[in-house]
Amino acid sequence: MRRNQVAVVGAAETTELGVIPNVSQIQLHADAALNAIADAGLKLSDIDGFATAVETPQQVAHYLGITPTWVDGTSVGGCSFMLHVRHAAAAIEAGLCKTVLITHAESGKSNIGRTPRMIGADSFNGQFELPYGVSTPASMFPIPVLRYMKTHGITHEQIASVAVVQREWAAKNPRATMKAPITVEDVLNSRMIAYPFRILQCCLVTDGGGALILTSADRARDFPQKPVYILGTGESVETPMVSQMQTFDSSRAFRVAGPLAFKEAGITHKDVDHLMVYDAFAHLPLYGLGDLGFMPHEETGKFVADGNTRPGGKLPLNTNGGGLSYMHSGMYGMYALQESVRQMRGLAPAQVKGAKISVCHGVGGMFAASGTIIFTNQN
């Protein structure tokens, strides 16, 4: 994909975030979509490309009353929406469509109209993990993260500091679920979930959704909002067991998607003003810092603990509060994208002054997939 040829012209989350027991999952899709369409100054009839995950594209398109000429139902976990952005940009460049709507919604807390997630008996997880009790994220991550800590000298206190710093960002965000300040001691004394994770190191479980609208850079100049250009993209997938049970160390998909995006964008790490890293658990931002190449893994814990990612730090990270404090409906990637767009528009509650380049990096399916999108407000 060529740089700066496609732009985000509409971005919005659902009207409410948190616990929304009176709205079904597909209604959350519609709410987010209509908010993003209004943000872009469009009508539903202007949409000719559509992408979503979990729900099938035809279900949501039918509910919205649109008939797109290009669709994408890629569903690889929480980073699916990063992949949708990449695929939509390619489709727009290829002339397959002009205006793409990407939606995400989950009734993750209230479970209203939500399709249950199933583990197939013939899947790798069903055959080799589920019989031994490995069935949820909290039971999948501990073994790899303990090996990661041992290999790279990461301490419990350093991982806890990730949650502390992100709560500082959340305190600046009126829509964040959790705003009260916390300390490293608070995190390490909170209720144990699955060693080494305590509840303040685990993501929230909420309801909500979000939507993005993309079009060509040439057309973007005519929209009411300031365009946010796509500078670089990357994606990768792999077998989760290979990543977690053989390497015991971050994710090969992480290490493929990020460098692809940096190469396409033609930037170095020093050019990055703002960073979003998917944080279903507190250790993931450390993985992201290392795998994206900002620093060796051995330095990531100290980098965060020393305050480099907090408000006023040299590398603002997860400035909405992340999945730990902002919200996490189950697939967090859309909310990370939303914050990157807000930062590039200059509209974020905790705005990074003068930010010109934002890197948004996600993981999905227990490290089975990764997607990276690099945004800029310069063209």
Side-chain angles (χ1 to χ4, degrees), residues 119 125 129-130 133-145 197 244-245 365-366:
I119 299 176
N125 301 86
E129 294 181 342
L130 190 60
V134 182
S135 60
T136 66
S139 62
M140 289 179 169
F141 280 120
I143 292 176
V145 77
F197 295 126
Q244 293 202 79
M245 301 307 173
M366 301 299 105

Side-chain angles (χ1 to χ4, degrees), residues 131-293:
Y132 302 97
V134 182
S135 60
T136 66
S139 62
M140 289 179 169
F141 280 120
I143 292 176
V145 77
L146 286 169
R147 180 56 182 254
Y148 180 83
M149 293 170 69
K150 180 178 180 179
T151 300
H152 300 296
I154 304 298
T155 68
H156 292 280
E157 290 77 11
Q158 288 171 344
I159 295 179
S161 70
V162 174
V164 173
V165 170
Q166 291 189 191
R167 185 64 64 86
E168 292 182 24
W169 286 111
K172 298 175 177 292
N173 194 332
R175 278 168 65 88
T177 302
M178 307 295 287
K179 304 184 187 69
I182 55 175
T183 66
V184 169
E185 290 72 24
D186 291 332
V187 176
L188 296 180
N189 290 326
S190 63
R191 178 163 55 91
M192 182 65 72
I193 300 300
Y195 187 81
F197 295 126
R198 296 180 178 273
I199 194 166
L200 290 179
Q201 295 170 304
C202 302
C203 68
L204 302 167
V205 181
T206 63
D207 306 326
L212 296 171
I213 296 176
L214 281 66
T215 192
S216 66
D218 290 341
R219 296 182 68 224
R221 289 188 285 268
D222 298 327
F223 283 75
Q225 297 288 357
K226 181 179 180 179
V228 176
Y229 301 97
I230 298 172
L231 192 60
T233 65
E235 66 179 281
S236 183
V237 297
E238 65 176 336
T239 303
M241 288 178 59
V242 171
S243 174
Q244 293 202 79
M245 301 307 173
Q246 288 188 17
T247 68
F248 287 99
D249 181 15
S250 59
S251 167
R252 283 201 287 263
F254 259 42
R255 297 193 293 271
V256 171
L260 281 174
F262 272 80
K263 182 178 179 180
E264 188 173 89
I267 65 170
T268 68
H269 297 89
K270 293 181 180 179
D271 298 318
V272 178
D273 303 306
H274 173 254
L275 179 62
M276 297 296 294
V277 177
Y278 197 118
D279 63 319
F281 291 84
H283 67 296
L284 289 178
L286 305 185
Y287 282 19
L289 287 168
D291 286 337
L292 285 170

